[in-house]
Amino acid sequence: MLTRITGGRVIDPAHGRDGVGDVWFEDGRIVPPPTGRAADASYDAQGAIVLAGGIDIHSHIAGSNLNTARLLLPDLRRDGSFDGAPASFEIGRLYAQMGFSLVVEPAISPTVAMQAQLELAAIPFIDRAILAVVGNEDFLFHLMRADDGANAIADYVARALAGSRALGVKCINPGAAAALKANARAFGLDDVVPRWGFSSRAIIHALQQAVATTGVVHPLHLHCSNLGLPGNVETALATIEAAEGRPLHLAHLQFYAYGTEGPRKFSSAAPRLAEAVNREKNITVDVGQVMFGQTVTVSCDVLRQFNGRHSAHPRTWSIAEDIGNGGGVVPFRYRRTSFANAVQFAAGLELFLLIDDPTRVFFTTDHPNGAPFTTYPDLFALLMDRELRAQWLATLPQEAVAMTTLPAIAREYTWPEIAMMTRTAPARLLGLVDRGHLAPGARADIAVYRPQADRAAMFRHAALVFKDGVLVARDGEVTTPRFGRVLHSSPGFDRAIDTRLAGFFEDTYGVPHRAFDVAAELVGGTEHFEVVPCRS
Amino acid sequence: MGAVVLRLKAPPPWPLDLAALQPAALAGKSADEIARMTLGRVAVGDVFAVSAGDAAELVLQGGSPLLDCVGAGMQSGTLLVEGAVGALAAAGLRGGRLEVRGDAGDHLGGAAPDSRMGMSGGVVLVRGNAGARAGDRMRRGLLIVEGDAGPEAAGGMIAGTVAVCGAVGAAPGVLMRRGTLLLGTPAVAPPPGFIVGRLAGDGTFLRLLARALHAVSPRAGECVAAVQHRWLGDLAALGKGEILVTGGQAIPQHQRSG
Amino acid sequence: MFELVDAEAALDGRPAPLPQGIAAAAALLAGAAAPVIAGLRTDAAGAVAAVALARRLGAVLDHAESEAVLRDLDAMRIGGWIVTTPAQARAFADLVLIVGDPAPDVLAALALERPPMLDAEQRPRRVLRLAAGETLAVRLGLLRALAKRREVAAPHDLVTLAEALAGARYGVVVWSAAQLSSLAIEMLCGLIEDLSAATRYAGLPLPAPGNAAGVAQALGWETGFPFRIAFRDGMPRHDPVHYEATRMVASGEADAVLWLDALGGGPPPWRKQVRLVALAPPGTRFADPPEVALAVGRPGIDHAGALFHPVAAAVLAALPTAPLPRPTAADLLGRIQAALPAC
Amino acid sequence: MPELTRNGVRIDDTFAEAFDMRATALVITAHDARWARQAALTMTGFATSVIGCGVEAAIDAELDPDATPDGRPGARVLIFAASTSELQRQLQARVGQCVLTSPGSACYAGLDGAERLRLGDALRYFGDGWQISKRLDGRRYWRVPVLDGEFVCEGTTALTKLAVGGGNLLLLGRSSAATLRAAEAVVAAVAATPGAIAPFPGGIARSGSKVGSKYPAAIASTNDAFCPTLLGLVRSSLDADTAAVLEVVIDGLTPQAVGEAMRAGLAAAVALGPEVGAYRVSAGNYGGKLGRHHFHLKDIV
């Protein structure tokens, strides 16, 4: 069926397009304006903004840790107001309403990938992907000691991607979860894992190299050490330096934008971080914006969650150790009246606004850690409206606002910048050639927003949302559920790594390694998956 | 018009969850509207004869141990039951007043199903006996059982006051963090996890407590007047709770070294 | 006594072709005022299909072993918990406290006779035991008080145990919720929390049979809640007291039950007469023939299925050990749902 | 100045000029009336004038056991300050130093209202973590372990912003003794009026003041117009035979309470007559520029 969206302001930074025009699509793909054929269906977009479908590169939408959050907090969900851990179906519905068409779950240990893939299979409307977590497994440390270390690690990483059907590689507080098992309670960039003697820095280097060797497009996606601690800007700056020019993605940078200025020894250091990111072109970041309200923190940074469990609100938590990272679930409420939370809120916005290049800063709340993804509409509105920011700031503790530069920042995101940050750039970062833009050949993942005075309302309910050319949401109402694809990489590797893995796993853990592999036939079959090519 | 009155017409067919029958929510509703409300598979009108009222006051005439969750989650108003109630009466109650002129089941004033916190305010008075785990995880408020209570009364209590004028079952106050459990039946030794403590010499607090309890239940007020012992625990938990006990022979003061 | 033999279906004990069995099941369930889907001994796909059917019917969902699972979940919700997996315990635990008498299969996977696999010094493990029983919660309370160095009067064995616990570098406390009161589990979680102030401790709650943990996970992502869910207007509600299948059957509230037992755990536990659709593997014996019985394949034996792996403590793919072309629970539930009259 | 005479006592046609203040009330109890009074007196000591003490405070009434929350003898004290923050600061310091320390004492809110000041909520930390909170009948109490048992203290007390300070009567006598007798009679009458107190020693101030001074650092100085020894040197308000002047300053929880107390005090002074007590009664004001409450003597006589 040939479909046409007419008369909207079409913004596609990938091809320098920004102007009133039409978008045509057929059989799930964008097509050039046909000659001599009339559209079978036409949608009027006059006065509206037409973008590619949104892409969220870092949102916890699946996996046993998130599911623990669901089971931990049934009472919060009873009145329907808590979006920290929606059921799988709701995740798809809520994202689709906002005009998103791809969401990446960034923290799945290969040993729990099967469940994560089952959960992804239950999320309708959008495409999905996971990143596989490595960096705290004894097997990795074992390989780091081996003579053929570098190659073996690359094989191991490729094998982990294959077994878990993951798109890229995530590393979370490298070494810290292993150190916690030996009763460490703090772990920085140059601390070493007891028994093995490897520092966080060494693990990051090894994994950056491995990712490069596999050819996976998405760079190592790193959750640094010392998350959330005052003064941790030094950790983030040192980590940026440690990358030595190689590609590195730093996740939820806001949680590392803290200095120790001021009477409470807690301040925003976002300007320093933004400056470093502006300078180091190999670095990409997502923000992990904090928004106020009840949420639940869900993280494979088990050391951080272990240390933070007593700040839980409500007072309950689950700290679960596992092969590699494990995970912790700690409910938390960000309060407008809290000095620290207000600084966090402002620091996130400072990062968004002080990092010049919208292709290297990505739009996230680290759902649900900074806030549920359902707060995105408010966040978009804040980025695009200086006056609105001033109104929010006026409601915060002024001694906290004074610890930030936010009041002085005049920048307002433009539509092309929003499109770049949430469409064009994330598709490139993930190595997707047919998503995030509107040129012929792209998947017909399209979001149409109708401008209105309340920008948040506009973003909450896109006027029209197409996924693979099918209308899936209109003014906030979703259509009959349909399912997108799960994207993954499939780098080659030497099968010899399987033998080493098998021996290590069976002896150490009493479980054959192959038992952890995702069985495609149980999660929708091969049609359900889409391979994203590696660099050759 | 006054109170809304629901008269039990016949024993309920199976356990009914009455949490929806909140006094404040029923005030001003017509008898028809109330009768049409559903309790799972049955309508209120199938089980109760309804007479409407305009006050935040609800009277249940006739009781049954199959009436669960009576006054559960209540925030205001008064609810009087002229008979017995089942499990989870006053569970998660936050305000208002519930009086049961009969026995109550398990988890009286405890945590509502699917919740982690017991009652957090208000006043509950049970003229008869209560089942197991009365006042479980209670956070605030006053819960008085004029009869006996089952095992694990005031278990996991966070704060508040539970008074049991009659006997209690095993392990009263187990995992108690803070709060007061008043026992009207003389007991001789503290339960496990509790140590023998001291009453404050001036008795000022007991005077305040007696006055507050007496206003709700003279019998409970008299129990305070007869308090002779104070036990502290549960030392397995935070250990800042107290059990106040009337009469009986206390074991000797626990001797600490130094 | 009725035994479901290797026929596709049986109606009141008489063999019938599958389409007839599906139609009868759909008719029975569609006509019920308060249907319950119970048992739920199935794989992830079966659980997902059961949720869809329950949503459609407005039915209650409960698992045969939900009591034990909810006891563990309650302990987690009430005060938080720190837990680990058998695989981790095998690799790291230098002290294992076994509470009660858990099933030996998972214990065997811990290889307690060997030193912890990833312990640098390879010192032998210390294995301690604490008997379950009525007074366990009280004894655990005293143990906790001792572990906090509070001066409570306690029996000598607990004093010795408290001293031993303090000496661990990575202690693991193993229990099986089916054997313990919820209070005892809460005490154990509290003990682990207290000990974790100075050293490392973690709980190891062993999973209940019937893939209860796996089904709890599936219900979690499908509905946001574990067992004892009802659907009203398509929205799930969770009430561990009022949506307990056994109680609903005993009180007469439930008027039809779909008993789902793809893992061969046996017939329903209740004696009360209630209209019954049973999905069970051939060989299952019932006291009375169910109105509708459908033969179902066993995940991990007859066909592949996602099941909770007790040693990995994760939902993993279980490949068939002896593949047979029997319908899966998800197939049958989907077909029943498709056969329901249009609403 | 036109004059009014009652029972031979001249009453100036002038007014007392009073100011808005913040105030609170406490009920302090103890084993017996003596120790309740002792705690109350100690915590209201050095509370004569906001200028030098931060607050003005005194016992409003002694309470029978049936009038206190815990059924023990007690005293109600009133405390006045110029700002809420100063009132909070002084409340905490005075209750902490003078009531918490006093044997067998307990301390409760003496005023109801929505705006609250921290009482036990601020003092509980003395319990070093062993303090216990208890809510009964909608009120929160703290139980703080102390050497003789528990200090029971209500969590908060109410704040009123309707309070008035600076009501006053100036008593002019033909002898020092007669002037003092008149002032004592006024103080007794004020004490019997609920909701009003007379700060200063025994309720009496001999150092009536005016605003300002020749010394730039001093914000107030002696009211020279009423100083008998300065007669003839300054512009005086006194008569030739005035031997002494004493002032009774009155603070009340409401303007009405101040008015009632002044009315009762003036009546008491009048009742004594000019021979035994004051021959003339006046009042202090600043020309009506500083305070919005003006109590005209002709209206209350």
Side-chain angles (χ1 to χ4, degrees):
Chain A
M1 189 173 73
L2 182 64
T3 309
R4 175 187 188 186
I5 299 173
T6 62
R9 177 181 166 194
V10 181
I11 304 173
D12 180 13
H15 301 92
R17 185 174 176 189
D18 181 0
V20 173
D22 296 352
V23 174
W24 293 77
F25 55 90
E26 186 169 32
D27 298 332
R29 300 269 175 184
I30 308 281
V31 295
T35 48
R37 283 178 68 200
D40 302 308
S42 186
Y43 295 88
D44 180 10
Q46 277 189 62
I49 307 287
V50 182
L51 305 180
I55 300 174
D56 188 340
I57 65 159
H58 191 115
S59 173
H60 299 282
I61 56 168
S64 47
N65 289 326
L66 182 72
N67 217 34
T68 297
R70 296 185 179 112
L71 301 182
L72 183 67
L73 303 165
D75 47 334
L76 288 184
R77 210 172 29 253
R78 206 169 348 176
D79 68 357
S81 66
F82 175 63
D83 289 334
S88 301
F89 183 91
E90 289 299 294
I91 288 172
R93 184 178 70 82
L94 292 165
Y95 263 114
Q97 279 180 356
M98 297 192 299
F100 279 73
S101 58
L102 167 62
V103 179
V104 179
E105 155 59 62
I108 299 300
S109 291
T111 49
V112 294
M114 182 66 203
Q115 175 169 335
Q117 291 287 1
L118 286 165
E119 291 190 38
L120 290 189
I123 299 175
F125 303 117
I126 56 173
D127 290 333
R128 299 129 290 165
I130 63 170
L131 303 181
V133 178
V134 291
N136 272 296
E137 319 82 271
D138 289 276
F139 184 72
L140 172 69
F141 304 143
H142 175 73
L143 292 184
M144 285 172 74
R145 278 195 180 166
D147 296 335
D148 58 344
N151 287 332
I153 293 167
D155 285 337
Y156 164 65
V157 165
R159 175 65 183 81
L161 292 172
S164 51
R165 299 248 174 180
L167 181 61
V169 182
K170 172 78 172 293
C171 184
I172 297 173
N173 201 351
L180 177 65
K181 286 166 188 166
N183 205 24
R185 303 287 164 114
F187 199 78
L189 188 61
D190 290 306
D191 289 330
V192 299
V193 181
R195 184 183 179 203
W196 296 102
F198 298 117
S199 68
S200 208
R201 185 189 294 271
I203 300 167
I204 293 168
H205 275 176
L207 290 174
Q208 271 184 300
Q209 191 183 342
V211 171
T213 307
T214 60
V216 169
V217 177
H218 187 51
L220 181 67
H221 193 113
L222 178 66
H223 164 134
C224 302
S225 43
N226 291 332
L227 182 140
L229 303 181
N232 64 4
V233 63
E234 305 302 341
T235 303
L237 292 170
T239 306
I240 289 171
E241 202 171 308
E244 293 170 2
R246 291 181 296 259
L248 183 66
H249 180 83
L250 300 180
H252 37 71
L253 196 62
Q254 178 277 130
F255 286 108
Y256 302 91
Y258 309 143
T260 53
E261 307 289 310
R264 307 225 194 167
K265 305 280 178 232
F266 188 73
S267 57
S268 165
R272 283 179 68 197
L273 266 185
E275 191 193 326
V277 173
N278 285 338
R279 189 177 60 235
E280 306 293 334
K281 310 293 185 202
N282 57 315
I283 300 295
T284 54
V285 306
D286 64 87
V287 171
Q289 176 68 30
V290 156
M291 299 287 271
F292 302 108
Q294 175 74 51
T295 192
V296 53
T297 64
V298 177
S299 177
C300 291
D301 187 346
V302 68
L303 174 78
R304 148 77 204 165
Q305 297 296 72
F306 180 89
N307 286 335
R309 69 193 188 281
H310 292 131
S311 59
H313 176 94
R315 254 189 78 82
T316 179
W317 57 81
S318 169
I319 304 297
E321 290 204 295
D322 201 350
I323 298 166
N325 275 77
V329 178
V330 180
F332 191 79
R333 192 161 57 124
Y334 292 100
R335 290 170 298 123
R336 274 179 196 271
T337 51
S338 155
F339 175 91
N341 298 164
V343 169
Q344 293 181 296
F345 167 79
L349 290 177
E350 285 178 285
L351 288 176
F352 271 117
L353 297 164
L354 295 175
I355 295 175
D356 304 327
D357 179 358
T359 69
R360 292 197 292 120
V361 58
F362 295 90
F363 186 93
T364 69
T365 58
D366 187 17
H367 163 83
N369 291 315
F373 67 81
T374 49
T375 62
Y376 284 5
D378 290 312
L379 182 51
F380 279 121
L382 287 166
L383 293 179
M384 297 179 82
D385 186 346
R386 182 190 184 189
E387 187 52 41
L388 184 65
R389 290 202 296 270
Q391 287 169 22
W392 280 52
L393 282 178
T395 67
L396 304 180
Q398 292 308 300
E399 69 269 29
V401 175
M403 291 293 107
T404 82
T405 65
L406 187 57
I409 303 176
R411 182 176 171 195
E412 293 182 335
Y413 267 69
T414 62
W415 271 111
E417 286 174 332
I418 293 283
M420 177 63 83
M421 178 172 64
T422 58
R423 272 77 178 171
T424 317
R428 284 182 192 156
L429 184 73
L430 299 171
L432 310 176
V433 295
D434 61 354
R435 287 174 172 82
H437 66 93
L438 294 170
R443 289 187 175 269
D445 297 346
I446 304 164
V448 178
Y449 299 96
R450 198 164 289 285
Q452 46 184 295
D454 180 351
R455 278 204 181 87
M458 169 185 67
F459 282 109
R460 188 163 289 114
H461 293 154
L464 298 167
V465 182
F466 296 90
K467 179 76 193 74
D468 295 314
V470 177
L471 184 70
V472 294
R474 180 171 216 156
D475 297 327
E477 294 293 323
V478 292
T479 59
T480 309
R482 64 184 302 283
F483 286 85
R485 306 288 190 90
V486 170
L487 312 184
H488 67 101
S489 304
S490 191
F493 56 90
D494 183 345
R495 285 277 162 196
I497 197 69
D498 260 336
T499 317
R500 289 160 89 164
L501 270 166
F504 188 89
F505 265 67
E506 273 182 51
D507 188 49
T508 309
Y509 304 119
V511 188
H513 177 257
R514 298 195 69 86
F516 294 100
D517 286 347
V518 170
E521 70 267 33
L522 295 178
V523 286
T526 47
E527 281 295 292
H528 169 83
F529 289 104
E530 177 181 331
V531 174
V532 174
C534 293
R535 297 181 212 278
S536 48
Chain B
M1 287 168 81
V4 177
V5 180
L6 302 182
R7 185 173 50 77
L8 194 64
K9 294 196 290 198
W14 43 71
L16 297 180
D17 179 346
L18 262 54
L21 301 181
Q22 304 263 334
L26 297 189
K29 276 204 164 92
S30 74
D32 244 22
E33 285 174 310
I34 296 171
R36 279 200 305 270
M37 290 173 69
T38 56
L39 304 168
R41 278 172 67 197
V42 301
V44 169
D46 298 341
V47 188
F48 295 100
V50 180
S51 84
D54 55 9
E57 204 180 322
L58 171 63
V59 179
L60 295 182
Q61 293 177 340
S64 160
L66 294 179
L67 300 180
D68 286 348
C69 297
V70 171
M74 198 168 128
Q75 297 186 45
S76 62
T78 65
L79 204 170
L80 171 66
V81 187
E82 295 170 347
V85 296
L88 292 158
L93 182 126
R94 289 152 69 180
R97 185 190 150 114
L98 169 68
E99 178 175 343
V100 178
R101 295 190 181 151
D103 294 342
D106 293 346
H107 290 274
L108 168 71
D114 178 15
S115 172
R116 62 174 65 76
M117 212 70 85
M119 77 183 251
S120 60
V123 174
V124 176
L125 171 61
V126 173
R127 301 286 188 188
N129 303 321
R133 305 190 80 159
D136 196 43
R137 297 175 213 296
M138 179 168 166
R139 192 169 55 172
R140 204 178 289 150
L142 174 60
L143 171 59
I144 299 176
V145 179
E146 292 195 333
D148 302 337
E152 296 171 20
M157 191 172 183
I158 298 155
T161 305
V162 174
V164 180
C165 302
V168 281
V174 61
L175 279 179
M176 198 170 175
R177 295 171 58 79
R178 296 188 178 84
T180 303
L181 171 61
L182 170 70
L183 300 180
T185 298
V188 293
F194 282 75
I195 56 167
V196 175
R198 289 276 190 97
L199 285 163
D202 45 44
T204 311
F205 170 68
L206 290 182
R207 289 162 173 269
L208 292 172
L209 186 65
R211 188 173 282 204
L213 264 55
H214 198 274
V216 181
S217 159
R219 197 169 158 203
E222 284 159 24
C223 289
V224 181
V227 164
Q228 289 188 16
H229 309 297
R230 180 169 180 252
W231 297 332
L232 306 174
D234 179 347
L235 297 184
L238 189 65
K240 292 185 181 175
E242 65 183 352
I243 301 180
L244 301 174
V245 195
T246 59
Q249 289 285 308
I251 62 169
Q253 172 69 32
H254 181 73
Q255 297 295 316
R256 286 176 179 273
S257 53
Chain C
M1 181 63 69
F2 163 76
E3 182 175 330
L4 181 61
V5 293
D6 203 352
E8 289 178 325
L11 300 178
D12 291 320
R14 287 181 297 278
L18 183 57
Q20 205 178 325
I22 296 285
L28 191 159
L29 293 169
V36 174
I37 300 178
L40 282 182
R41 297 186 189 117
T42 182
D43 57 355
V48 169
V51 170
L53 181 59
R55 198 184 291 270
R56 175 70 196 282
L57 290 170
V60 163
L61 284 166
D62 194 10
H63 190 282
E65 306 290 340
S66 55
E67 187 67 39
V69 177
L70 289 172
R71 268 183 221 160
D72 276 341
L73 286 179
D74 274 349
M76 170 177 83
R77 288 172 186 168
I78 283 160
W81 73 4
I82 302 169
V83 291
T84 190
T85 64
Q88 274 301 296
R90 175 182 166 110
F92 286 101
D94 65 335
L95 183 151
V96 178
L97 172 63
I98 301 168
V99 181
D101 213 0
D105 49 341
V106 182
L107 276 187
L110 298 183
L112 294 174
E113 68 289 353
R114 295 169 59 186
M117 309 299 164
L118 292 173
D119 185 294
E121 294 164 37
Q122 291 290 296
R123 294 181 308 180
R125 299 183 207 256
R126 304 183 68 180
V127 180
L128 307 169
R129 288 179 182 271
L130 197 56
E134 264 185 40
T135 59
L136 178 64
V138 166
R139 283 166 57 78
L140 285 170
L142 292 175
L143 185 62
R144 260 189 92 182
L146 292 167
K148 284 182 204 261
R149 313 219 170 279
R150 282 177 162 158
E151 296 189 24
V152 287
H156 181 70
D157 65 323
L158 291 182
V159 177
T160 314
L161 186 55
E163 282 164 11
L165 291 178
R169 287 187 299 182
Y170 193 104
V172 168
V173 181
V174 185
W175 73 84
S176 184
Q179 296 186 333
L180 308 186
S181 71
S182 53
L183 192 61
I185 299 171
E186 197 182 336
M187 284 287 191
L188 283 172
C189 293
L191 177 67
I192 290 162
E193 180 65 33
D194 293 345
L195 290 164
S196 296
T199 183
R200 286 307 319 278
Y201 262 86
L204 182 50
L206 298 181
N211 192 33
V215 173
Q217 289 291 326
L219 267 53
W221 78 68
E222 287 291 319
T223 71
F225 301 108
F227 315 113
R228 299 187 185 168
I229 301 166
F231 286 92
R232 266 185 245 151
D233 312 322
M235 295 301 292
R237 286 157 206 271
H238 171 50
D239 184 333
V241 175
H242 293 102
Y243 301 148
E244 180 189 346
T246 305
R247 181 182 168 186
M248 290 182 72
V249 170
S251 72
E253 184 176 5
D255 60 351
V257 175
L258 187 156
W259 178 255
L260 173 53
D261 177 35
L263 291 165
W270 54 76
R271 299 290 305 168
K272 172 141 181 150
Q273 287 293 324
V274 62
R275 300 190 70 185
L276 186 66
V277 175
L279 274 61
T284 305
R285 291 170 175 223
F286 295 83
D288 301 300
E291 249 180 88
V292 182
L294 305 176
V296 65
R298 294 163 297 176
I301 300 171
D302 302 331
H303 62 84
L307 297 169
F308 192 82
H309 191 293
V311 180
V315 175
L316 301 180
L319 302 178
T321 51
L324 276 177
R326 284 189 180 133
T328 67
D331 290 341
L332 292 175
L333 294 168
R335 291 179 67 175
I336 292 171
Q337 188 174 344
L340 292 172
C343 50
Chain D
M1 191 179 287
E3 284 170 4
L4 193 64
T5 303
R6 287 282 188 281
N7 193 26
V9 177
R10 272 164 55 200
I11 298 164
D12 290 358
D13 183 10
T14 185
F15 61 94
E17 184 173 349
F19 313 92
D20 288 322
M21 293 192 88
R22 310 292 159 95
T24 186
L26 302 177
V27 170
I28 296 164
T29 68
H31 298 301
D32 55 30
R34 180 190 160 208
W35 281 103
R37 188 184 310 124
Q38 183 62 59
L41 281 173
T42 309
M43 81 87 59
T44 56
F46 185 56
T48 56
S49 162
V50 290
I51 294 169
C53 310
V55 292
E56 297 172 10
I59 293 175
D60 179 39
E62 301 214 8
L63 302 174
D64 289 337
D66 59 6
T68 66
D70 60 20
R72 304 191 301 170
R76 184 187 198 222
V77 300
L78 306 186
I79 308 157
F80 296 79
S83 71
T84 305
S85 58
E86 181 65 11
L87 188 57
Q88 177 64 67
R89 206 174 65 78
Q90 291 270 346
L91 190 64
Q92 197 167 326
R94 288 168 181 268
V95 176
Q97 295 304 310
C98 310
V99 183
L100 166 63
T101 53
S102 182
S105 70
C107 186
Y108 308 99
L111 199 62
D112 287 330
E115 281 195 80
R116 309 297 292 183
L117 295 165
R118 286 149 52 84
L119 192 61
D121 285 356
L123 296 172
R124 62 179 148 152
Y125 301 106
F126 184 73
D128 197 22
W130 298 106
Q131 67 272 23
I132 300 173
S133 140
K134 178 63 79 181
R135 192 181 285 263
L136 294 171
D137 289 339
R139 290 165 179 260
R140 181 146 102 136
Y141 301 96
W142 285 99
R143 300 160 62 191
V144 180
V146 286
L147 307 193
D148 71 349
E150 276 176 347
F151 172 52
V152 174
C153 187
E154 197 164 340
T156 61
T157 183
L159 161 78
T160 177
K161 293 178 174 173
L162 300 175
V164 169
N168 68 80
L169 292 171
L170 287 165
L171 303 149
L172 286 68
R174 293 197 179 99
S175 71
S176 297
T179 310
L180 185 57
R181 269 198 298 278
E184 285 170 347
V186 170
V187 168
V190 171
T193 310
I197 55 161
F200 292 100
I204 303 171
R206 66 119 174 251
S207 60
S209 62
K210 67 175 186 293
V211 176
S213 158
K214 67 176 276 192
Y215 305 106
I219 56 170
S221 59
T222 192
N223 193 349
D224 45 29
F226 283 90
C227 291
T229 56
L230 300 182
L231 195 65
L233 296 176
V234 298
R235 202 169 135 184
S236 184
S237 298
L238 302 182
D239 304 306
D241 57 349
T242 308
V245 181
L246 289 171
E247 182 175 4
V248 176
V249 174
I250 297 164
D251 299 335
L253 293 176
T254 60
Q256 293 74 25
V258 173
E260 272 312 305
M262 281 181 62
R263 183 192 305 278
L266 182 57
V270 166
L272 280 183
E275 309 306 326
V276 182
Y279 74 92
R280 179 182 155 199
V281 180
S282 188
N285 63 61
Y286 312 95
K289 294 192 186 90
L290 295 180
R292 70 183 181 103
H293 300 282
H294 301 163
F295 297 96
H296 288 269
L297 298 186
K298 68 174 171 9
D299 295 339
I300 60 171
V301 67

